[in-house]
Amino acid sequence: MSSQIEPAGIPAPSTDAAEWATRANRAARSVTRSFGGRLLFLPGTHIGAVSLPTTIRRSLSGPWHYWWQAHYVDCLVDAGRRELATKTKFDGGSRPSAGRLASRLVTTIRLRNLLRFVNDYYDDMAWLALATLRLEKLAEETRKPGRRRNAYVQKCLTVQFDSASTDHLGGGTFWSTKRDFKNTPATAPVALYYARTGHAERAQQLVNWLNSKLLHPDRGLYQDGLRISDGEVVVDGAIYTYNQGPVLGALLELGGEDNLRRAALLVDAVRRELTLPGTLVVRGDGTGDGGLFTGILLRYLAMAARDVRLPSTARETARSLVQSTAEAFWTGRRENPDLDNARKGSPAIVFSFDPQRPASQTYPAGTAVELSTQLQAWMALEAAATL
């Protein structure tokens, strides 16, 4: 739903950085204690349950959401960066650090994915590649030796991205190994990955393709993709919140006058097109995979808010979007007063998947709660904590 009321004069919440960090820690503890656990009781492993309540049989026979776990890694890296700044573990001195959990999670993703990091979707792999890059940087900053595994992830997945980023349809990256759809969900995070690994020319080519093929001329947002159907190329004009995020990240990572100008325009388009009426709250995109979408966008809006190369108006708009949406998720939470049960599989805090509605409505007591939606709120709070 697009905003029909110009929200430029609406102030962002005045919550300070320390309070945002406290809220992010509470979200981190809720997710890691309730959703997180060992894979088949194997020591040194950590994986997120797809939904709660769950059983071992359901965890192994149910759907495998590789890319949800990749964003779980990213959230743990966020918490790890705050640990580095405060010299305090997010979940107490006797429990593993966020960085340690993130490292275990990457290892366990490979185990759960049948001993491979490669899967059938290039966007999934791009999200994991980006998360492991950030994990490696965290390891360097904490002066702990990097894992050879992280280098292996990057090596094997870069090969996949190279093979999927072809000249078919004028450029871009295929979404899956079916190779019948080139889209923003794959092209944008791959472009960002290339930009962060020293392949600026490849990254710029992908961004140029997105600008020429999928940027909506009137709305200023990126459409979903180009699909090959019965030998013809068809534009999928759907516009999703999360697609705007990694495009924004790639534009900022590459820099330069044209990219930064486009980044500022994209921030304004998000404010204009993707907020709830009369607010600076970014809309939600439902449950399932959509339960991650708003959080992903906020991660990259926070990057824009911190980027001094952007005009002050764009930075302030990005900041307000992040803080207002994170505030909405926090305000709408439902807390579980029984912390013992929370540790056994019922989250201590349940966040709504819709920032417009409280969790008491979207997730009433006794309702199954999905990992994606809880990661989204955690991600939103982490984004706000960086401002």
Side-chain angles (χ1 to χ4, degrees):
M1 181 185 298
S2 300
S3 175
Q4 300 301 314
I5 302 173
E6 290 297 324
I10 299 175
S14 57
T15 307
D16 63 24
E19 177 60 22
W20 283 121
T22 298
R23 293 174 177 183
N25 271 340
R26 291 188 62 192
R29 288 193 292 270
S30 177
V31 172
T32 56
R33 290 186 183 188
S34 54
F35 287 87
R38 292 179 176 180
L39 177 67
L40 293 176
F41 303 105
L42 291 172
T45 61
H46 186 82
I47 199 76
V50 170
S51 65
L52 294 178
T54 190
T55 63
I56 295 175
R57 176 179 296 179
R58 186 182 304 167
S59 296
L60 294 176
S61 63
W64 164 228
H65 293 289
Y66 177 114
W67 83 294
W68 295 12
Q69 307 294 333
H71 286 288
Y72 187 9
V73 175
D74 246 342
C75 286
L76 285 167
V77 173
D78 290 336
R81 298 199 64 79
R82 287 187 296 98
E83 288 182 333
L84 181 62
T86 62
K87 309 299 181 186
T88 304
K89 290 183 181 180
F90 82 95
D91 200 13
S94 64
R95 299 177 72 91
S97 68
R100 176 69 61 84
L101 284 179
S103 184
R104 291 177 180 176
L105 178 54
V106 173
T107 295
T108 311
I109 289 171
R110 179 175 178 269
L111 293 175
R112 178 63 178 81
N113 199 50
L114 304 179
L115 302 179
R116 304 185 312 155
F117 285 114
V118 174
N119 82 349
D120 291 336
Y121 294 91
Y122 296 106
D123 57 336
D124 289 13
M125 291 184 278
W127 292 120
L128 183 62
L130 288 169
T132 53
L133 272 180
R134 297 185 67 231
L135 178 58
E136 186 65 23
K137 187 175 180 180
L138 177 65
E140 292 171 2
E141 292 182 14
T142 54
R143 298 180 180 178
K144 294 180 180 179
R147 297 288 302 272
R148 285 185 296 175
R149 180 213 56 216
N150 293 340
Y152 172 73
V153 172
Q154 295 161 32
K155 181 179 179 179
C156 73
L157 295 187
T158 298
V159 172
Q160 298 297 315
F161 305 146
D162 290 347
S163 72
S165 302
T166 69
D167 292 332
H168 297 88
L169 304 178
T173 304
F174 282 113
W175 178 50
S176 73
T177 53
K178 290 183 178 180
R179 294 179 174 254
D180 60 355
F181 190 33
K182 282 193 168 181
N183 64 0
T184 305
T187 304
V190 169
L192 178 56
Y193 174 79
Y194 278 149
R196 288 181 173 174
T197 53
H199 301 288
E201 184 176 351
R202 292 182 192 174
Q204 190 64 60
Q205 289 172 349
L206 293 178
V207 167
N208 291 345
W209 181 83
L210 288 166
N211 288 336
S212 65
K213 301 292 186 182
L214 293 177
L215 178 62
H216 194 287
D218 300 318
R219 301 183 67 182
L221 298 169
Y222 292 85
Q223 301 168 99
D224 200 45
L226 297 181
R227 191 180 303 278
I228 302 172
S229 178
D230 296 326
E232 295 188 4
V233 178
V234 179
V235 176
D236 185 334
I239 290 179
Y240 298 110
T241 49
Y242 84 124
N243 278 343
Q244 318 313 313
V247 177
L248 180 59
L251 292 168
L252 295 173
E253 197 74 37
L254 288 167
E257 183 178 350
D258 288 344
N259 288 327
L260 294 176
R261 180 182 61 82
R262 173 55 56 195
L265 291 172
L266 182 54
V267 169
D268 191 60
V270 169
R271 176 196 64 81
R272 190 179 62 249
E273 299 279 340
L274 299 180
T275 50
L276 298 170
T279 76
L280 287 167
V281 176
V282 178
R283 76 184 193 198
D285 274 306
T287 57
D289 285 345
L292 281 168
F293 286 7
T294 301
I296 292 170
L297 174 55
L298 296 186
R299 175 184 297 283
Y300 295 100
L301 283 170
M303 286 179 54
R306 300 191 303 267
D307 197 318
V308 297
R309 299 170 300 171
L310 293 180
S312 59
T313 51
R315 297 200 307 272
E316 186 54 39
T317 296
R319 173 187 292 271
S320 297
L321 290 166
V322 171
Q323 292 179 333
S324 296
T325 311
E327 186 70 39
F329 280 124
W330 181 255
T331 301
R333 74 193 185 282
R334 174 172 64 80
E335 298 201 20
N336 184 348
D338 187 348
L339 293 181
D340 288 333
N341 283 337
R343 294 187 182 95
K344 295 175 183 176
S346 178
I349 303 174
V350 176
F351 295 99
S352 177
F353 54 81
D354 182 353
Q356 195 171 206
R357 301 163 58 203
S360 59
Q361 293 180 11
T362 60
Y363 279 133
T367 305
V369 179
E370 290 181 302
L371 173 65
S372 59
T373 62
Q374 305 310 289
L375 291 175
Q376 171 173 259
W378 178 9
M379 212 180 307
L381 297 168
E382 293 287 1
T386 66
L387 305 179

